[in-house]
Amino acid sequence: PVSICHVQENVLQRVLQLPVVSSTCETLQRKYSSTKESHPLMASVCEVYERGVQGAGALAMWGMEPVVRRLEPQCESAVAVANNLACRGLDHLEEKIPALQYPVDK
């Protein structure tokens, strides 16, 4: 089968758009929000964790920026090849496992 990944689309976007994945993410987000709303202590712990993850992510991006800038031209073709291979693999999975096209509750 021909890969349905497009130039702007990547394999991660396709995976996140699969009904089984998107419905799972929505369910987890609802449960996380509901837990934070119903348990004040848990909400404060979650907020501290969220701020820590955001800060760590920003710090990591800041530290990697010079490296990424230097490697970007060489990496673009490697990323495109890896993305294409991953898309082909996802095409195969979608063909062999039709359940990926259904939400979790089905």
Side-chain angles (χ1 to χ4, degrees), residues 10-11 19-22 31 33 35 38 43 45-46 49 56-57 63-66 71 73 75-76 78 86 90 94 98:
N10 66 42
V11 72
V20 70
V21 174
S22 62
K31 293 209 182 285
S33 295
T35 301
S38 59
V45 170
C46 289
Y49 173 75
M64 290 298 296
E65 186 177 355
L71 294 176
C75 289
E76 281 183 20
L90 186 55
E94 288 178 301

Side-chain angles (χ1 to χ4, degrees), residues 10 24 54 66 73 82 97 103:
N10 66 42
T24 300
Q54 288 171 348
I97 308 172

